[in-house]
Amino acid sequence: MTTDPLSYAASLLDAVGADREQVPAEIALRCLYGAELLELAGGRAEIIPLIDGDPRISIRAAMSTLAGLDEDTFTRPHVLDAARAARRALRELG
């Protein structure tokens, strides 16, 4: 598993987006979009499982990872937009 925070967050969001059993399509698309934005910012998503099989925990972990970024990285437009997509997905997931 990667230790790069952008890649880890992208991988988590990608895992949520791939979970068609627990995650409705609209929320999955938000997560996949967030993963794509993080890849555009320099991350590389890898196939990983959801944390404890839970999409909510996985989105929170992705957001926590992004929160730990330095200010210059976090404020890049793709990273901020990915964080917003994750936040909306988590809110909609309930």
Side-chain angles (χ1 to χ4, degrees):
M1 182 177 0
T2 182
T3 58
D4 169 53
L6 290 177
S7 297
Y8 183 58
S11 298
L12 287 169
L13 292 176
D14 187 70
V16 174
D19 184 347
R20 301 307 307 129
E21 291 180 22
Q22 300 181 78
V23 181
E26 186 173 324
I27 296 169
L29 287 173
R30 287 195 193 284
C31 290
L32 292 173
Y33 177 63
E36 177 67 20
L37 289 169
L38 293 174
E39 287 190 325
L40 290 172
R44 292 291 164 248
E46 297 176 6
I47 296 174
I48 63 171
L50 295 173
I51 297 173
D52 294 334
D54 189 327
R56 289 168 191 82
I57 292 173
S58 299
I59 294 172
R60 285 187 192 106
M63 292 174 69
S64 178
T65 299
L66 294 177
L69 294 171
D70 64 80
E71 189 70 17
D72 289 337
T73 303
F74 184 76
T75 57
R76 295 192 330 221
H78 290 312
V79 177
L80 270 176
D81 288 344
R84 288 182 182 115
R87 181 191 72 213
R88 283 190 297 271
L90 184 59
R91 186 177 348 160
E92 291 173 11
L93 197 53

